Amino acid sequence: MRGKAARFGGRVLASVLLAGCSMAARSETVDDRVEALLAKMTLEEKAGQLNLVSLEPGFDPESVRRGEVGAVINFSNQNLASNIDGYARTSRLGIPLLISLDIVHGYRTVFPLPIGMAASFDPDLVRRASAAAARETLAAGINWSFSPMADVARDLRWGRVVEGLGEDTWLTGQLAAAQVEGFRDGGVASTLKHFAGYSAVYGGRDYDVTWVSPTELYDTHLPPFRAGIRAGADSVMTALTALNAVPTTADGHLMTQILRREMGFKGVVIADWEAVASLIKHGVARDGAEATRKAVAAGVDMDMTSGLFVKHLPEEVRAGRISQASVDESVRRVLRLKFGLGLFDRPVLDPATAEGRLLTPETRAVARETARASFVLLKNDRNLLPIDPRTVKRIALVGPFADAKWDQVGPHEGNGQVDDVISIRTGLTERAAKAGIALDYAAGCDRICSERADFPKAIEAAKAADLVVAVIGEGRDQSGEGSSRAYLGMRGLQQDLVQELAATGKPLLLLVFGGRPVELHEAIDRAQAAMMIWIPGTEGGPAVAETLFGDFDPSGKMPLSWPRTVGQMPLTYDRRAGGRPHIDGARWTLGYNDETISPRFPFGYGLTYTSFAYGDPEVVTPKVGVGDRYEAVLEVRTSVTNTGTRPGRTVAQLYLNQPVASRSRPLRLLKGAVPMVLAPGETAVATFRVPSRDLGFHDTDGTLVVEAGDYRVFVGEDSDAPKSAGFSVETGWRSAPGNVEASSR
């Protein structure tokens, strides 16, 4: 949760500079400057540096001037950010503020939500998108992003699926690291959240308890955080949940032993929104003072919005219940982050310089490119797409999200503005006119779709058209934090609208809008084509139009398994076989008696306007292991041929299986993805290199185990890839928690 911003009065001259920021000071090392500043601070000022406040009704800006605040949130435009930082610069020590915001998918230019960006399977694009968003963010005076979310989405009912990067551990790690690097490229500090196991909430209910076995924690939930830390993440945020009955904000084993010692994290640990105060609600602290003690003891550096650190830390230190050394170390981390960002060596932002750096053509171009890369073509019978102006002279555009700018901005929108958005209706109308095609728009129903009074207008438009494009799905308020769902169907009467449109007999294309896959049921069967467009952001309209007309081909791959029904939840591709593996139609095997266990569309799935053929995988390193005689990296190659008539992009995917092990292992695990662009008839080779440590699993104490024995790899376009080859691990080994080196077993 992030609070609503409010206005506050007062104006501070932007020319105020931090006292002591001389040329001589700038020649000192960061550690020297940190220690010199720390020596000047009172205990109250130290507590202030560990206090993050939000712009809320009743906020007192003088608290910043008194040195009681080290960071702020929801000062979400350049005027607010500049003004409040000016207050900090006129405090006794003039320490600048960390000014934070949830930059989940852009600041002013809104990109697709992370789950949409994940469909690109393209770390380089994700890095460029994050850098573009960071440059806008920094231009507005915001220097700290509470992103990326490294939680692995295991249950689509959970609302925060939209903030993450899919259900797969390896892909989430690759893309979270790319976001960290992108934020750094743009000059903004990054935050990995939410540590850890936050996405494993019972029933997909946001904020509910999580129970995660140690092996599952190490195998599934921790690796993306490790990848983000290796990429240089500046901070880590605690989860709001209790992991195995211990609230993460009070979990010293998690925050100190695992995060700091095993994973080597040296940056700032910040508690999530009022998470320190929530220790009282969790039932592990009697009052604010005890909650403060437990959070500090666990390893939390900064308190977000509960105000407990600034209230209780000085008293607790003087009473000897919290050590001065632990407070000083937390302050050092905060100050290092501020010095590392260059905050001490720059003046207060001049708001007049910001506006020209927002919504630039360059940033909008990256947003449009990212949106196109996010689209996943689910169905394309008889090559309905791309739209052919020779056969399509009139389009009927219908559906509640065809002209829904507010929904298109999406949740967690930074400072995105509805008026900046180019709607799907506008984008498609302009592109159709360019092709000499008429377009009629009739929504059929509003975004709630509770009435069918406007159905007749949509049906009449469909009858007069050569192609019907229906934009259906879920609205922005059905996705995001606090928006978990017990049902995954489309709201209201959208299924009925699709049924009546299909009954006209006109070719029907579904554009599925939203932050997660929804239950499509009969709608997908009634349509000739369907494409997932997620919540595409500011440039969504042109991106959709360019893709439908074939100016650019769809190439996204599902970062989630698409369920047939909510009753399959949780549903992920990396399941284990069980003692009675599933056999279709067999009662006494793993499964349901009223539905298949298979998804509607598998993880990694996505069509293009062309087709690709994969050769048999070649294992270049058939014997992997430790020692001079063996390879430390598995290398696999496969040929990929564009067998269609159009150029196109595919993502070659490699999956791993260990058929026999000391522990039952997943049937498949993604271990590599290679984007490829091929001309018609062109053949190229996809090469995968998998470090031997990525072949293993973890014991309960975090020890990495790679076992000797036979393994298989599968290569293809999705997690159902049929072509496989075997290889052997000749020498097994174990690695202590946090140790990346192998040691012989």
Side-chain angles (χ1 to χ4, degrees):
M1 180 178 68
R2 302 287 179 260
K4 299 288 186 181
R7 296 184 180 274
F8 69 94
R11 181 85 179 126
V12 177
L13 294 176
S15 60
V16 177
L17 298 176
L18 174 66
C21 183
S22 63
M23 292 298 292
R26 285 196 293 271
S27 67
E28 298 172 332
T29 68
V30 167
D31 285 344
D32 290 339
R33 298 176 73 181
V34 167
E35 294 304 320
L37 190 54
L38 189 66
K40 299 176 184 177
M41 298 175 71
T42 67
L43 188 52
E44 283 72 18
E45 287 170 330
K46 291 176 182 178
Q49 284 302 300
L50 308 182
N51 182 36
L52 181 148
V53 302
S54 174
L55 181 52
E56 304 283 333
F59 166 73
D60 177 14
E62 288 299 324
S63 64
V64 178
R65 203 177 335 250
R66 292 192 297 267
E68 298 169 3
V69 177
V72 297
I73 190 172
N74 289 326
F75 292 74
S76 55
N77 63 52
Q78 57 268 32
N79 295 301
L80 293 171
S82 173
N83 204 5
I84 196 61
D85 194 34
Y87 274 85
R89 304 298 183 104
T90 57
S91 65
R92 186 180 77 90
L93 295 175
I95 302 174
L97 291 172
L98 290 168
I99 303 176
S100 65
L101 198 65
D102 292 65
I103 307 301
V104 175
H105 58 127
Y107 174 69
R108 180 65 180 273
T109 304
V110 180
F111 292 73
L113 281 146
I115 192 61
M117 289 194 280
S120 70
F121 275 57
D122 189 341
D124 179 66
L125 177 60
V126 170
R127 177 172 179 164
R128 289 193 291 114
S130 298
R135 286 191 291 270
E136 279 199 341
T137 302
L138 191 62
I142 297 160
N143 49 49
W144 192 13
S145 172
F146 290 153
S147 179
M149 192 179 87
D151 299 303
V152 181
R154 309 298 283 179
D155 191 330
L156 291 181
R157 294 172 295 182
W158 188 51
R160 301 193 82 164
V161 165
V162 296
E163 287 187 71
L165 299 158
E167 72 183 47
D168 179 68
T169 298
W170 182 85
L171 182 64
T172 297
Q174 295 288 307
L175 300 182
Q179 285 185 283
V180 167
E181 293 165 351
F183 283 122
R184 183 178 62 242
D185 293 346
V188 171
S190 58
T191 305
L192 294 170
K193 62 184 188 184
H194 307 81
F195 200 75
Y198 184 49
S199 60
V201 286
Y202 268 25
R205 298 181 295 269
D206 216 351
Y207 317 126
D208 207 334
V209 299
T210 65
W211 291 92
V212 182
S213 70
T215 54
E216 181 73 3
L217 185 69
Y218 277 101
D219 282 347
T220 301
H221 296 279
L222 294 183
F225 287 92
R226 187 185 297 277
I229 289 168
R230 287 175 175 168
D234 299 287
S235 57
V236 168
M237 184 184 293
T238 68
L240 290 164
T241 45
L243 175 63
N244 301 336
V246 181
T248 65
T249 305
D251 191 339
H253 178 74
L254 184 66
M255 293 297 166
T256 299
Q257 174 60 31
I258 294 179
L259 179 62
R260 294 221 183 266
R261 294 175 186 155
E262 295 180 15
M263 302 178 76
F265 179 65
K266 300 185 184 306
V268 174
V269 172
I270 180 168
D272 202 346
W273 188 278
E274 294 190 354
V276 177
S278 293
L279 296 179
I280 301 170
K281 297 177 182 178
H282 276 292
V284 300
R286 293 176 179 81
D287 52 30
E290 185 176 12
T292 298
R293 291 195 298 272
K294 289 201 167 186
V296 171
V300 172
D301 295 315
M302 183 174 283
D303 170 26
M304 186 192 301
T305 69
S306 76
L308 294 183
F309 277 19
V310 76
K311 180 178 180 181
H312 294 291
L313 269 179
E315 175 188 349
E316 294 298 307
V317 170
R318 291 187 177 106
R321 291 184 289 266
I322 293 177
S323 74
Q324 177 75 62
S326 64
V327 173
D328 285 353
E329 190 54 41
S330 290
V331 175
R332 285 188 184 96
R333 293 184 187 115
V334 172
L335 294 178
R336 285 190 197 109
L337 178 55
K338 292 182 177 185
F339 277 112
L341 289 170
L343 304 186
F344 287 85
D345 301 320
R346 69 174 69 140
V348 175
L349 174 76
D350 179 0
T353 65
E355 198 61 37
R357 297 160 67 186
L358 308 177
L359 285 172
T360 64
E362 294 79 11
T363 304
R364 296 190 77 136
V366 178
R368 188 180 299 192
E369 179 186 1
T370 309
R372 290 193 302 257
S374 74
F375 301 152
V376 182
L377 184 61
L378 303 172
K379 183 178 181 180
N380 194 24
D381 289 353
R382 299 190 300 276
N383 293 321
L384 182 66
L385 295 176
I387 296 171
D388 187 350
R390 295 172 298 180
T391 57
V392 176
K393 301 299 182 183
R394 182 173 294 274
I395 294 172
L397 178 63
V398 303
F401 303 108
D403 196 24
K405 290 184 176 182
W406 183 74
D407 288 289
Q408 203 169 307
V409 169
H412 313 288
E413 69 273 28
N415 195 30
Q417 306 293 316
V418 170
D419 290 343
D420 298 332
V421 171
I422 305 174
S423 71
I424 294 169
R425 177 186 180 184
T426 297
L428 198 54
T429 298
E430 292 176 355
R431 183 61 182 84
K434 183 178 177 181
I437 298 174
L439 185 142
D440 300 317
Y441 168 70
C445 62
D446 63 16
R447 61 190 307 279
I448 307 299
C449 205
S450 59
E451 299 180 357
R452 60 179 68 239
D454 290 333
F455 276 24
K457 294 179 182 178
I459 302 310
E460 288 306 309
K463 289 178 179 178
D466 303 305
L467 173 66
V468 181
V469 179
V471 191
I472 58 172
E474 67 170 9
R476 62 173 282 178
D477 56 325
Q478 293 181 282
S479 290
E481 185 174 2
S483 296
S484 295
R485 297 183 61 188
Y487 304 96
L488 292 180
M490 294 183 289
R491 179 182 277 167
L493 302 172
Q494 293 184 74
Q495 283 281 357
D496 293 352
L497 177 61
V498 171
Q499 181 178 0
E500 294 193 27
L501 292 170
T504 66
K506 296 303 178 73
L508 175 61
L509 162 65
L510 303 181
L511 298 180
V512 185
F513 185 100
R516 57 160 76 84
V518 293
E519 294 178 346
L520 293 173
H521 297 304
E522 293 84 1
I524 191 69
D525 299 320
R526 292 186 170 113
Q528 285 71 53
M531 188 165 70
M532 181 63 174
I533 62 170
W534 310 99
I535 297 178
T538 303
E539 291 289 315
V544 167
E546 291 165 351
T547 303
L548 296 187
F549 276 90
D551 304 328
F552 296 88
D553 288 9
S555 62
K557 303 293 184 180
M558 283 303 303
L560 301 159
S561 300
W562 195 303
R564 299 173 186 273
T565 173
V566 71
Q568 293 177 302
M569 291 291 101
L571 175 70
T572 57
Y573 82 92
D574 54 349
R575 64 181 182 85
R576 291 167 170 81
R580 293 189 174 184
H582 175 75
I583 300 174
D584 283 335
R587 178 178 180 184
W588 307 112
T589 65
L590 182 155
Y592 306 102
N593 64 15
D594 55 357
E595 183 58 270
T596 177
I597 69 168
S598 67
R600 174 73 70 173
F601 302 107
F603 174 86
Y605 174 86
L607 304 175
T608 68
Y609 291 157
T610 187
S611 57
F612 297 92
Y614 281 70
D616 292 325
E618 174 194 3
V619 178
V620 182
T621 54
K623 293 185 178 182
V624 178
V626 178
D628 295 339
R629 294 181 298 141
Y630 307 113
E631 300 293 336
V633 175
L634 170 70
E635 183 171 333
V636 179
R637 299 173 186 168
T638 187
S639 63
V640 183
T641 303
N642 183 341
T643 57
T645 60
R646 294 174 58 96
R649 176 184 182 272
T650 187
V651 179
Q653 301 164 40
L654 180 138
Y655 295 85
L656 173 77
N657 170 247
Q658 186 181 2
V660 179
S662 61
R663 174 186 302 165
S664 179
R665 300 203 61 194
L667 295 173
R668 296 191 180 190
L669 285 170
L670 180 68
K671 294 298 179 181
V674 180
M676 308 178 74
V677 178
L678 300 176
E682 182 182 1
T683 298
V685 174
T687 300
F688 305 90
R689 292 179 59 82
V690 183
S692 58
R693 63 174 291 110
D694 287 355
L695 307 178
F697 57 85
H698 291 86
D699 275 345
T700 56
D701 67 350
T703 296
L704 177 66
V705 179
V706 179
E707 294 184 324
D710 295 331
Y711 292 71
R712 295 201 71 78
V713 289
F714 299 83
V715 174
E717 291 188 284
D718 57 48
S719 56
D720 287 343
K723 296 195 173 184
S724 70
F727 69 97
S728 296
V729 172
E730 296 295 313
T731 56
W733 52 268
R734 301 173 67 87
S735 176
N739 184 2
V740 299
E741 301 299 326
S743 60
S744 181
R745 292 188 58 148

